[in-house]
């Protein structure tokens, strides 16, 4: 366990073992010293080096106790000579047991350290104050992430994987000498000047930044330092002395130093580096994100520094190299001190008169000093992300100030000092608290041209007079609360952004208008006067417009028109780009004679309208079309002669129509690279494989029967989708021809099966993912139709935006985490939240800089309400969403955590003073406010999910999962209506993706459609009229002793195949349960037999006093199976195990019992009481193992002592053979079981006796050839009814008899 250094017994430490040494440590802190064992790429502990049971017992006594991992310093020193570098690493790790009240000073005293250092997310390192409490910091961090339970917080704090997010060091982990710009250094022979007046002497020589620094004393930096600026100077070879260089400065008073090196390698290295320095013209020092508290000493010798970047550090005021000493930089012009948490404005900065640029954003300032008015040369001042409410009047003295940023502060109005700053032409006040827009104030600022007031609280606008404003050209009013907007007084307005308000009417001046963005409002009227003759781009999507405004049709220079998601019936075509998708268009305006050659239309999106074949001839009038989307209309034919004239086509989308063929003239479209025509009735493969530039072809969900391929396929073909063509048969020769295609999607033919109950009858899914115009797919999906023993299902969607690493990691691991959390809690809110938070931690170093939106849907039997069959629990972070179709209406189950759609989250991020850039991204990184990963953006980005649960009913038809790109282009209602009546879930998912792309989506898009069949037709129980065969034996009361707790399998993840997204995951399950019958009467069928308990299905669970527990399934998909249904480790097939297609059945007698003497099994009397739950806690256990793609029933007798040991994965393999899928089979018992099975009578259908209570889907079947035998047994039972009852002692040890079919 590692060496333990105990301290005195006290409240801060656990009791010591008697044999432990009695050494004492100050402060009563117990420290466990260990050697750190690396785990992969993470600096984390191995499980073997964690603290032992005594420490755990001490922690359990109080949730305010915990453990702090104190890491040794990984010191990396820059080379002090030109030939060597020292690197040392300390692998010691101390586990300090303490409480939330233990300060850092007490831990330092016990460790003999001066300070403790805290590293966040593998990046910044901060020195802790003596009064700060490390364990409380950890607990607060976990609480803000989303953990609520104190015991769980204590458990997570003790997990070494947390070091990837939060880590403590006893020393500063890195001595980064390169921060002071030392490029090269060493002790060499130096002579000043080119003449012989000076002698050679050994001196310390440092090439730092753009200067050569020579010490006056050998190996000493404290005396006089000779500084030689090299910018514009020379570096020359000294010909009279080997390996020597002459360094000269520029100017009339140039100085020269000669330096002699010992080796050729040193000489070349210095010459190469110094040559770069002398060619520089601007001296810039970038020390951002280096955990600095003061400026390195060597920087003050660099006289040429003009720009110093100290962003994201912990700079202090009163230190040797603190902010109070910055006046020494006599040439400093630019200084960046953003994100340093200064708290107050450093007044001494006002004594640097050369400053022209100063960035002090995100430092927690509440006011500015009046001394700031002395920075007369200041041109740019950035104060974003503070708590300012006013600006001092002295700021008006800065007449050269041309840029002032005060966004994301607490201003309620535009400061009056703006009127004095006549050089300012832009007002940056986004993210403040303005509620009223006073145009009169702007009219008095004739120098202001750009106004940025996005993300305020603007509700109304005030116009003091009718005087027009001739100066403002750009206005940004996005994400406010305006209902009406009249900017007609801004006669020189060129660009307006007013998206995501609540506008009903918009009035503008058209004299200078060039671009207008008014998406996502409630506009019914847009007035622009006069006609904007300069207008080139108009975006009015997602409004309530019934017609395109007349002035837009008269604008001659307009090129881009986006009016999608309105109520239009006609549109103009004299454009370059037109998006009129999701309207009510029935026809298109025809081009006039002679205008065909003048048409400039190149991009046309008309998806989801009411267009028919009559619109096709109109398209001929636009011969320059490059992109044409006509998906989901009512086209039945596309004439060959018309397509022949569209020779410039590059992308054609005709999916979701009623086409039977693609014209052969498509071969004339030599530039075509994308053809999407799925969900039609195409039976003949189009002639597209001869096109020289074809890349993507989607002909899925059609009626193709064969493919005629040329001798050679185009080398550009990358993606071919042929799924959903049920009659298509591809020969091996054709598959070989397609082998070079990067992505080939075809249907995976189902294997023959004789058991239709293997796959779930309650749900089925289809998945579609499209990369769009990006070169990689950053969306992954998770689909497990049979989860946790087949009693539930898990579906997920993960969107990494620009990274594909995190979606793949979550796809492979998140189902495992869910399965583990389900075992620890039955509360859906708790286990879902913990699943996301643990997955966030398990991302490790990959999650420090990368982030991912995640959506997880878990379907399980509803234990809270027996009247409902299943419940659906949905959790999400980011922009992935799930929508349930209930009775034809959409029911959103997710919450979109983005700045644009969640005002509460946007306000939270603004209150924490994050900078939101103009593209609505937190610090310019992501638009999401909650993600898995991106730990370096804490606390703005959190992993806590939104969770919702709903019981599934007979009205629930389907569930739709989609990423951000899908829901940005489709509304909930449209998505539900689009796929409600599509029979195939794969075709439904592809239709949704095609709709999104047809609406202009160019990003990765993913959609999953889960069809639900939670209705009475899925019922298989007796109470709904299903006739069951007669009893197959004598029922008896079953007594189970000590049922084991469910063990956690190794994996439960399912990954959708590229070849078929319809294939459900293989059913892999193991079951542990108990059977208990109520009080039985000895009256049976025709002979007074014991009745069998009524069989129930999952829709109608039987109310029992016992608790039905299932062991979690192991869904690790392994192909390590031999043809006989056994693992590949088995040497030979076992007798009695027969193969039947893809299923394997073990033929056993239905009356298999626990003991060997089955014939002597006593029968309970008529008044035998039903066992209580306590009785079920005793007796032997049996388990069933069901393998991947194989149903092999194997009865596993398990003794009580072995059951206790098998609760953990580490001991489960001690008494059994571990198989490839993670399950464990006892070696001896499995063989005995097979022997029993081989002695069973042979019959057509084999069933297996298992010690579980009745499964809902089980049916008792008596083969015809066994009916006579059963009648004989029933008769024998009638004759033996009058035998004496067994004694009370015999009752306690009754052998078990089971009649449950598998």
């Amino acid at each position: 366990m590692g060496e333990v250094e105990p301290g005195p017994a006290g409240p801060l430490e656990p009791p010591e073992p008697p044999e432990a040494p009695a050494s004492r440590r100050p402060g009563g802190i117990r420290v466990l010293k260990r050697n750190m064992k690396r785990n992969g790429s993470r600096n984390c502990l191995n499980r073997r080096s964690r603290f032992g049971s005594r420490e755990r017992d001490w922690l359990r006594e109080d949730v305010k106790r915990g453990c702090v991992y104190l890491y040794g310093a990984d010191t990396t020193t820059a080379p002090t000579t030109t030939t060597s570098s020292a690197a040392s690493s300390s692998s010691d790790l101390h586990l300090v047991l303490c409480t939330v009240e233990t300060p850092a000073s007490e831990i330092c005293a016990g460790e003999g350290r001066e300070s403790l250092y805290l590293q966040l997310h593998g990046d910044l390192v901060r020195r802790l104050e003596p009064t700060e409490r490390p364990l409380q910091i950890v607990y607060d961090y976990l609480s803000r992430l989303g953990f609520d339970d104190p015991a769980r917080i204590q458990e997570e704090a003790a997990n070494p994987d947390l070091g990837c997010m939060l880590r403590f060091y006893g020393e500063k982990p890195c001595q980064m000498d390169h921060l002071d710009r030392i490029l090269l250094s060493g002790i060499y022979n130096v002579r000043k000047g080119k003449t012989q007046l000076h002698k050679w002497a050994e001196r310390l020589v440092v090439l730092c930044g753009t200067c050569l620094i020579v010490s006056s004393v050998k190996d000493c930096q404290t005396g006089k330092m000779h500084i030689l600026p090299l910018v514009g100077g020379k570096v020359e070879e000294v010909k009279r002395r080997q390996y020597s260089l002459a360094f000269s400065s520029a100017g009339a008073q140039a100085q020269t130093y000669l330096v002699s090196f010992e080796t050729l390698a040193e000489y070349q290295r210095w010459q190469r580096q110094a040559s770069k320095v002398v060619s520089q013209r601007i001296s810039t020092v970038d020390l951002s994100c280096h955990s600095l508290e003061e400026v390195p000493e060597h920087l003050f010798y660099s006289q040429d520094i003009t720009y110093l970047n100290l962003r994201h550090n912990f700079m202090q005021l009163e230190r040797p190299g603190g902010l109070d000493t910055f006046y020494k930089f006599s040439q400093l012009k630019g200084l960046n001190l953003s994100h340093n948490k200064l708290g107050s404005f450093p007044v001494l900065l006002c004594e640097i008169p050369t400053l022209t640029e100063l960035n002090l954003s995100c430092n927690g300032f509440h006011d500015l000093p009046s001394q700031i008015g002395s920075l007369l040369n200041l041109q740019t001042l950035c104060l974003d992300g503070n708590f300012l409410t006013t600006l001092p009047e002295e700021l008006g003295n800065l007449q050269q100030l041309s840029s002032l940023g005060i966004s994301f502060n607490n201003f309620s109005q535009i400061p009056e000092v703006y009127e004095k700053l006549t050089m300012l032409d832009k007002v940056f006040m986004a993210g403040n608290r303005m509620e009223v827009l006073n145009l009169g104030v702007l009219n008095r600022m004739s120098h202001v041209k750009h106004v940025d007031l996005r993300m305020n609280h603007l509700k109304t606008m005030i116009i003091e007079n009718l005087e027009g404003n001739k100066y403002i050209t750009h206005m940004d009013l996005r994400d406010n609360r305006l209902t009406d907007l009249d900017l007609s007084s801004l006669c020189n307005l060129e660009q307006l952004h007013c998206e995501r308000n609540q506008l009903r009417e918009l009035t503008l001046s058209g004299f200078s208008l060039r671009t207008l963005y008014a998406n996502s409002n409630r506009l019914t009227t847009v007035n622009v006067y006069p006609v904007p003759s300069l207008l080139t781009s108009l975006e009015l999507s997602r409004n309530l417009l019934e017609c395109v405004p007349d002035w837009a049709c008269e604008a001659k220079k307009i090129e881009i028109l986006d009016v999608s998601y309105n109520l239009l019936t006609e549109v103009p075509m004299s454009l370059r780009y037109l998006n009129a998708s999701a309207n009510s268009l029935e026809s298109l305006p025809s081009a006039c004679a002679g205008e065909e050659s003048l048409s400039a239309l190149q991009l046309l999106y008309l998806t989801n309208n009411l267009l028919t074949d009559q619109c096709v001839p109109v398209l001929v009038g636009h011969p320059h079309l490059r992109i044409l989307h006509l998906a989901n209309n009512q086209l039945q034919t596309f004439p060959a002669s018309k397509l022949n004239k569209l020779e410039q086509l590059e992308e054609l989308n005709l999916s979701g129509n009623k086409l039977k063929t693609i014209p052969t003239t498509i071969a004339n479209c030599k530039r075509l690279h994308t053809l999407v025509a799925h969900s039609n009735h195409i039976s003949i493969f189009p002639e597209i494989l001869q096109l020289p530039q074809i890349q993507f072809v989607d002909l899925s969900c059609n009626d193709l029967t064969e493919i005629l391929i040329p001798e050679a396929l185009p080398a550009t073909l990358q993606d071919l989708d042929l799924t959903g063509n049920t009659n298509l048969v591809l020969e091996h020769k054709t598959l070989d021809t397609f082998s070079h295609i990067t992505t080939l999607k075809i249907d995976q033919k189902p294997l023959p099966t004789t058991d239709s109950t293997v796959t779930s009858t309650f749900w089925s899914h289809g998945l579609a993912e499209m990369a769009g115009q990006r070169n990689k797919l950053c969306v992954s999906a998770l689909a497990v139709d049979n989860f946790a023993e087949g009693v539930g299902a898990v579906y997920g969607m993960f969107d990494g935006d620009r990274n594909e690493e995190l979606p793949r990691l979550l796809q492979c691991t998140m189902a495992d985490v869910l399965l583990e959390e389900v075992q620890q809690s039955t509360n859906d809110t708790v286990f879902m939240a913990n699943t996301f938070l643990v997955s966030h931690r398990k991302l490790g170093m990959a999650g420090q800089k990368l982030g991912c939106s995640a959506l997880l849907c878990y379907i399980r039997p509803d234990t809270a309400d027996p009247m409902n069959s299943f419940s659906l629990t949905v959790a999400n972070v980011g922009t992935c969403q799930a929508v349930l179709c209930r009775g034809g209406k959409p029911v959103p189950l997710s919450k979109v955590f983005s700045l644009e759609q969640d005002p509460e989250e946007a306000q939270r991020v603004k209150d924490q003073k994050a900078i939101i850039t103009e593209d609505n991204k937190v610090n310019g990184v992501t638009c999401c406010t909650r993600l898995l990963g991106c730990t370096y953006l804490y606390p703005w980005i959190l992993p806590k999910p939104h969770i919702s649960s709903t019981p599934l009913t007979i009205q629930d038809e389907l569930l739709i999962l989609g990423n951000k790109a899908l829901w940005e282009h489709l509304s909930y209602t449209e998505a539900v209506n689009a796929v409600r009546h599509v029979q195939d879930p794969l075709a439904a998912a592809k239709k949704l993706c095609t709709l999104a792309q047809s609406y202009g989506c160019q990003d990765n898009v993913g959609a999953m459609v889960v069809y639900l069949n939670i209705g009475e037709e899925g019922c298989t129980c007796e109470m709904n009229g299903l006739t069951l065969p007669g009893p197959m034996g004598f029922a008896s009361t079953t007594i189970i002793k000590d049922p084991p707790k469910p063990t956690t399998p190794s994996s439960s993840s399912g990954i959708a195949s590229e070849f078929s997204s319809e294939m459900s995951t293989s059913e892999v399950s193991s079951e542990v349960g108990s059977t208990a019958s109520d009080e039985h009467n000895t009256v049976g069928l025709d002979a007074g037999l014991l009745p069998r308990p009524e069989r129930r299905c999952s829709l109608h669970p039987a109310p029992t006093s016992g608790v039905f527990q299932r062991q979690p399934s192991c869904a690790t998909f392994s192909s390590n199976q031999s043809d006989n249904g056994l693992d590949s480790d088995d040497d030979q097939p076992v007798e009695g195990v027969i193969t039947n297609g893809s299923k394997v059945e073990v033929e056993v007698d239905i009356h298999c019992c626990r003991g060997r003497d089955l014939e002597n099994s006593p029968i309970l009397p008529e008044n035998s009481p039903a066992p209580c739950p306590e009785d079920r806690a005793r007796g032997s256990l049996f388990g069933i193992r069901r393998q991947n793609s194989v149903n092999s029933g194997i009865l596993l007798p398990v003794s009580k002592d072995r059951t206790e040991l098998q609760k953990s994965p580490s001991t489960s393999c001690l008494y059994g053979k571990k198989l490839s899928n993670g399950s464990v089979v006892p070696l001896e018992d499995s063989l005995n079981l097979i022997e029993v099975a081989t002695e069973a009578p042979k019959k057509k259908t084999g069933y297996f006796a298992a010690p579980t209570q009745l499964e809902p889907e089980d049916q008792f079947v008596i083969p015809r050839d066994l009916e006579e035998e059963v009648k004989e047994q029933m008769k024998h039972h009638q004759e033996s009814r009058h035998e004496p009852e067994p004694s009370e002692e015999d009752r306690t040890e009754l052998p078990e008899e089971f009649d449950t079919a598998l």
Side-chain angles (χ1 to χ4, degrees), residues 1125-1263:
L1126 302 176
D1127 290 324
S1128 58
D1129 299 334
D1130 298 333
D1131 296 331
Q1132 59 184 0
V1134 185
E1135 284 187 352
V1137 179
I1138 61 174
T1139 58
N1140 183 6
S1142 61
K1143 312 299 173 188
V1144 176
E1145 301 172 348
V1146 180
E1147 298 189 350
V1148 300
D1149 188 25
I1150 304 169
H1151 309 294
C1152 287
C1153 301
R1154 180 182 60 184
R1156 292 186 178 180
D1157 301 331
L1158 306 182
E1159 303 83 16
N1160 300 327
S1161 301
I1163 301 174
L1164 289 179
E1166 179 178 356
N1167 57 354
S1168 174
C1172 61
E1174 289 78 5
D1175 295 330
R1176 295 174 183 163
R1178 302 187 303 272
S1180 299
L1181 296 170
F1182 291 81
I1184 303 175
R1185 178 174 61 84
R1186 299 169 66 186
Q1187 297 181 3
N1188 254 354
S1189 70
V1190 184
N1191 279 354
S1192 56
I1194 301 180
L1195 186 63
L1196 305 180
V1198 184
S1199 60
K1200 178 179 180 181
D1201 54 350
R1202 292 189 183 182
T1203 302
E1204 294 297 330
L1205 286 174
Q1206 290 180 358
K1207 292 181 180 179
S1208 62
S1210 59
T1211 59
S1212 61
C1213 58
L1214 297 178
Y1215 293 94
K1217 176 181 179 181
K1218 189 170 183 179
L1219 303 180
S1220 60
N1221 63 355
S1223 58
V1224 177
V1225 178
L1227 298 177
E1228 301 177 358
D1229 299 336
S1230 60
L1231 182 58
N1232 296 337
L1233 174 67
I1234 296 298
E1235 292 177 356
V1236 175
T1238 55
E1239 297 176 359
K1242 302 294 186 295
K1243 46 188 177 294
K1244 294 181 180 180
T1245 305
Y1247 286 85
F1248 180 67
T1252 58
Q1253 74 179 37
L1254 293 177
E1255 288 294 325
E1257 294 83 2
D1258 296 338
Q1259 295 187 18
F1260 294 97
V1261 179
I1262 302 179

Side-chain angles (χ1 to χ4, degrees), residues 270-410:
W270 277 78
Q271 184 185 35
R272 184 169 54 250
Q273 195 66 253
S275 298
K276 295 180 181 179
V277 172
V278 297
S279 63
Q280 296 181 8
R281 289 296 178 266
I282 300 177
S283 181
T284 300
V285 181
D286 187 358
L287 299 179
S288 59
C289 303
H290 283 97
S291 306
L292 296 178
E293 295 182 357
E294 57 184 359
V295 172
E297 181 181 1
H298 278 154
L299 254 71
F300 294 104
Y301 296 110
S302 301
Q303 303 291 332
D304 59 326
I305 293 180
T306 58
Y307 186 85
L308 182 58
N309 185 0
L310 294 170
R311 181 181 62 89
H312 266 296
N313 284 287
F314 304 100
M315 296 299 298
Q316 305 291 327
L317 293 176
E318 300 176 357
R319 294 183 69 91
L323 297 178
D324 292 346
T325 61
F326 276 24
Y327 65 90
K328 297 180 180 179
F329 295 111
S330 59
Q331 303 296 324
L332 191 63
K333 294 183 178 181
L335 178 60
N336 188 343
L337 287 171
S338 62
H339 296 275
N340 271 271
K341 300 181 180 180
L342 299 177
S344 60
F345 191 97
V347 180
L348 290 180
L349 293 181
C350 301
E351 299 181 4
I352 308 178
T354 57
L355 277 179
T356 60
E357 181 179 346
L358 181 60
N359 189 337
L360 293 170
S361 60
C362 300
N363 276 291
F365 299 157
H366 287 80
D367 52 38
L368 297 180
S370 59
Q371 291 88 334
I372 197 173
S374 61
L375 297 175
L376 299 179
N377 293 320
L378 200 62
Q379 300 176 11
T380 301
L381 177 60
C382 185
L383 298 170
D384 299 334
N386 287 287
F387 299 94
L388 301 175
T389 56
T390 59
L391 294 178
E393 294 183 2
E394 290 78 5
L395 197 65
N397 299 334
L398 309 182
Q399 291 301 311
Q400 297 188 32
L401 192 65
S402 59
S403 177
L404 175 60
I406 55 175
S407 298
F408 301 100
N409 279 276
N410 297 337

